[in-house]
Amino acid sequence: MTKLSVFAAALVAVSATLSATQPVYAAGNTDTDHDNQFAIAIHGGAGTITRANLSDEQEAAYKAKLTEALNAGHTILAEGGTSMDAVIAAVQIMEDSPLFNSGRGAVYTFDGEHELDASIMDGKTLEAGAVAGVKTIKSPIALARKVMENSVHVMLSGEGAEQFASEQGLERVSNDYFDTEHRYQQLQQARERLGVADKQAYLDLDDKYKYGTVGAVAVDKHGNLSAATSTGGMTAKRYGRIGDSPIIGAGTWADNASCAVSATGHGEYFIRYHVAADICSRVKYLGDSVEEAGDTVIHDVLLPAGGTGGVIIVDAKGNVHMPFNTEGMYRASRVGDGETEVAIYKD
Ligand code: ASP
């Protein structure tokens, strides 16, 4: 063999190896670097939220907090910041509020504690970070970001995650920092209804005891998508139960090539039906719009299976859709410099 033919044979071998290891579909996107239509959408949980069970004062308080969270993210986007910074800013405002089942207002476990879950995903790189069952982290979404950026892992849980938080210099609090009277009352009512750990009794529990997760999705001026979700899980959860919120593909998903999704609802169904990733796969492979993909999964797939809840979705062009199959979902959105939409009920 001449030197040249040895070189040619080596080249063929290298390119064969490379193509065998390349993904069939190049996920994510690079920056498009033009003035993209930026957009943000947030949720504060879905469930039996009707005018009859929310006073005017409560409604005003929820709308004010949703607006504050939306504006925080929107300002970052309008100034040319990243969708990652925008979703974190929006979620942290809701984590700090006792109104929502995340951070400060997290629900109680059956044993009277709080165990928090959160996750984040970057649609440009498909990097992700998640934490589950943490009890002392003031901002679980901040920890999820640290896991994504500063660890070699995607998901950390329990005491290990808390040790990592300390090493990363994140604020830790005692578990009773998350105590609120209204969530405590919900636990008492739920425990009365549950008695022993009965599967059917738990399924029959009114969803006001279950939901309230927060989340945000955004696309920035560079065309990059991000999604973030943070929760206390479900009231009276036991045995270290973990829901969909920290599970990448179930409660959270972002891919520049399709869309970004954050979910809220009965987590077990969102895990089994892989809701967030399923919506984005429909956009990516079937060419569905975010409306078509979101409505199909929430109304035609999830509901007949018994799964209740909703999602917020944004795509790279700034299209926003927020479908839910419950009576209400705390939600807000704003596309570019357009109108701010804040809503709670179905109509
Ligand atoms: N999806 C959350 C969970 O199952 C609950 C919620 O959305 O409020 O943990």
Side-chain angles (χ1 to χ4, degrees), residues 101 210-213 231 233-234 241 243-245 263-268:
N101 171 21
K210 298 176 181 170
Y211 308 146
T213 295
T231 190
M234 292 166 94
R241 179 261 188 193
D244 60 312
S245 306
T264 176
H266 194 156
E268 280 68 11

Short mmCIF file of all heavy atoms in Angstrom, two decimals, residues 101 210-213 231 233-234 241 243-245 263-268, ligand 1:
data_model
loop_
_atom_site.label_atom_id
_atom_site.label_comp_id
_atom_site.label_asym_id
_atom_site.label_seq_id
_atom_site.Cartn_x
_atom_site.Cartn_y
_atom_site.Cartn_z
N ASN A 101 -47.19 26.45 45.27
CA ASN A 101 -46.61 25.21 45.82
C ASN A 101 -45.21 25.00 45.24
O ASN A 101 -44.98 24.12 44.42
CB ASN A 101 -47.54 24.04 45.48
CG ASN A 101 -46.91 22.71 45.81
OD1 ASN A 101 -45.98 22.62 46.62
ND2 ASN A 101 -47.41 21.65 45.18
N LYS A 210 -53.40 18.78 45.73
CA LYS A 210 -52.29 18.17 45.00
C LYS A 210 -51.41 19.17 44.26
O LYS A 210 -50.21 19.00 44.22
CB LYS A 210 -52.85 17.17 43.98
CG LYS A 210 -53.60 16.01 44.62
CD LYS A 210 -54.20 15.12 43.57
CE LYS A 210 -54.99 13.98 44.17
NZ LYS A 210 -55.75 13.27 43.15
N TYR A 211 -52.02 20.17 43.64
CA TYR A 211 -51.25 20.92 42.65
C TYR A 211 -50.75 22.29 43.10
O TYR A 211 -51.00 22.71 44.21
CB TYR A 211 -52.07 21.05 41.37
CG TYR A 211 -52.61 19.75 40.85
CD1 TYR A 211 -53.84 19.68 40.22
CD2 TYR A 211 -51.89 18.58 41.04
CE1 TYR A 211 -54.33 18.48 39.74
CE2 TYR A 211 -52.38 17.37 40.57
CZ TYR A 211 -53.61 17.32 39.93
OH TYR A 211 -54.10 16.14 39.46
N GLY A 212 -50.07 23.00 42.19
CA GLY A 212 -49.62 24.35 42.49
C GLY A 212 -48.19 24.66 42.08
O GLY A 212 -47.68 25.75 42.35
N THR A 213 -47.56 23.69 41.45
CA THR A 213 -46.21 23.84 40.90
C THR A 213 -46.05 25.14 40.11
O THR A 213 -47.02 25.63 39.54
CB THR A 213 -45.97 22.64 39.96
OG1 THR A 213 -45.97 21.48 40.75
CG2 THR A 213 -44.69 22.74 39.18
N THR A 231 -41.28 22.73 42.37
CA THR A 231 -42.49 22.30 43.08
C THR A 231 -42.20 21.75 44.48
O THR A 231 -41.08 21.33 44.78
CB THR A 231 -43.20 21.20 42.27
OG1 THR A 231 -44.49 20.95 42.86
CG2 THR A 231 -42.42 19.90 42.28
N GLY A 233 -44.32 19.33 45.14
CA GLY A 233 -44.92 18.02 44.85
C GLY A 233 -46.38 17.97 45.21
O GLY A 233 -47.10 18.95 45.00
N MET A 234 -46.85 16.86 45.75
CA MET A 234 -48.26 16.72 46.09
C MET A 234 -48.45 16.56 47.60
O MET A 234 -47.69 15.84 48.24
CB MET A 234 -48.85 15.52 45.35
CG MET A 234 -48.91 15.76 43.84
SD MET A 234 -49.21 14.26 42.91
CE MET A 234 -50.97 14.31 42.76
N ARG A 241 -41.66 9.95 47.61
CA ARG A 241 -42.27 10.09 46.27
C ARG A 241 -41.65 11.28 45.48
O ARG A 241 -41.47 12.36 46.01
CB ARG A 241 -43.77 10.31 46.42
CG ARG A 241 -44.52 10.49 45.11
CD ARG A 241 -44.79 11.94 44.80
NE ARG A 241 -45.66 12.10 43.64
CZ ARG A 241 -45.85 13.25 42.99
NH1 ARG A 241 -45.25 14.33 43.41
NH2 ARG A 241 -46.65 13.31 41.96
N GLY A 243 -42.22 13.41 41.81
CA GLY A 243 -43.18 13.60 40.72
C GLY A 243 -42.48 13.86 39.39
O GLY A 243 -41.31 13.50 39.20
N ASP A 244 -43.21 14.48 38.49
CA ASP A 244 -42.68 14.73 37.14
C ASP A 244 -41.78 15.96 37.06
O ASP A 244 -40.97 16.07 36.14
CB ASP A 244 -43.85 14.93 36.17
CG ASP A 244 -44.72 16.12 36.58
OD1 ASP A 244 -45.09 16.21 37.78
OD2 ASP A 244 -45.01 16.97 35.72
N SER A 245 -41.96 16.89 38.01
CA SER A 245 -41.30 18.20 37.86
C SER A 245 -39.79 18.11 37.70
O SER A 245 -39.21 18.87 36.92
CB SER A 245 -41.66 19.11 39.03
OG SER A 245 -43.06 19.20 39.14
N ALA A 263 -44.55 21.71 32.86
CA ALA A 263 -45.85 21.09 33.15
C ALA A 263 -46.26 21.27 34.60
O ALA A 263 -45.45 21.50 35.49
CB ALA A 263 -45.77 19.59 32.83
N THR A 264 -47.57 21.12 34.82
CA THR A 264 -48.11 21.04 36.18
C THR A 264 -49.33 20.13 36.15
O THR A 264 -50.11 20.15 35.20
CB THR A 264 -48.51 22.43 36.71
OG1 THR A 264 -49.12 22.25 38.01
CG2 THR A 264 -49.48 23.16 35.80
N GLY A 265 -49.46 19.31 37.18
CA GLY A 265 -50.59 18.39 37.21
C GLY A 265 -50.22 17.13 37.97
O GLY A 265 -49.24 17.10 38.72
N HIS A 266 -51.01 16.10 37.76
CA HIS A 266 -50.81 14.84 38.48
C HIS A 266 -49.57 14.14 37.93
O HIS A 266 -49.60 13.48 36.89
CB HIS A 266 -52.06 13.97 38.31
CG HIS A 266 -52.10 12.83 39.26
ND1 HIS A 266 -53.26 12.21 39.63
CD2 HIS A 266 -51.11 12.18 39.93
CE1 HIS A 266 -52.99 11.24 40.48
NE2 HIS A 266 -51.69 11.20 40.67
N GLY A 267 -48.47 14.31 38.65
CA GLY A 267 -47.16 13.97 38.13
C GLY A 267 -46.99 12.56 37.61
O GLY A 267 -46.28 12.32 36.64
N GLU A 268 -47.65 11.60 38.25
CA GLU A 268 -47.48 10.21 37.84
C GLU A 268 -47.88 10.02 36.37
O GLU A 268 -47.23 9.30 35.61
CB GLU A 268 -48.29 9.28 38.74
CG GLU A 268 -47.63 8.96 40.09
CD GLU A 268 -47.54 10.15 41.05
OE1 GLU A 268 -48.17 11.21 40.80
OE2 GLU A 268 -46.82 10.03 42.07
N1 ASP B 1 -46.68 17.93 38.96
C1 ASP B 1 -46.43 18.09 40.37
C2 ASP B 1 -46.11 16.75 40.98
O1 ASP B 1 -46.75 15.78 40.60
C3 ASP B 1 -47.57 18.69 41.09
C4 ASP B 1 -48.08 19.97 40.49
O2 ASP B 1 -47.95 20.22 39.32
O3 ASP B 1 -48.60 20.79 41.24
O4 ASP B 1 -45.28 16.68 41.83
#
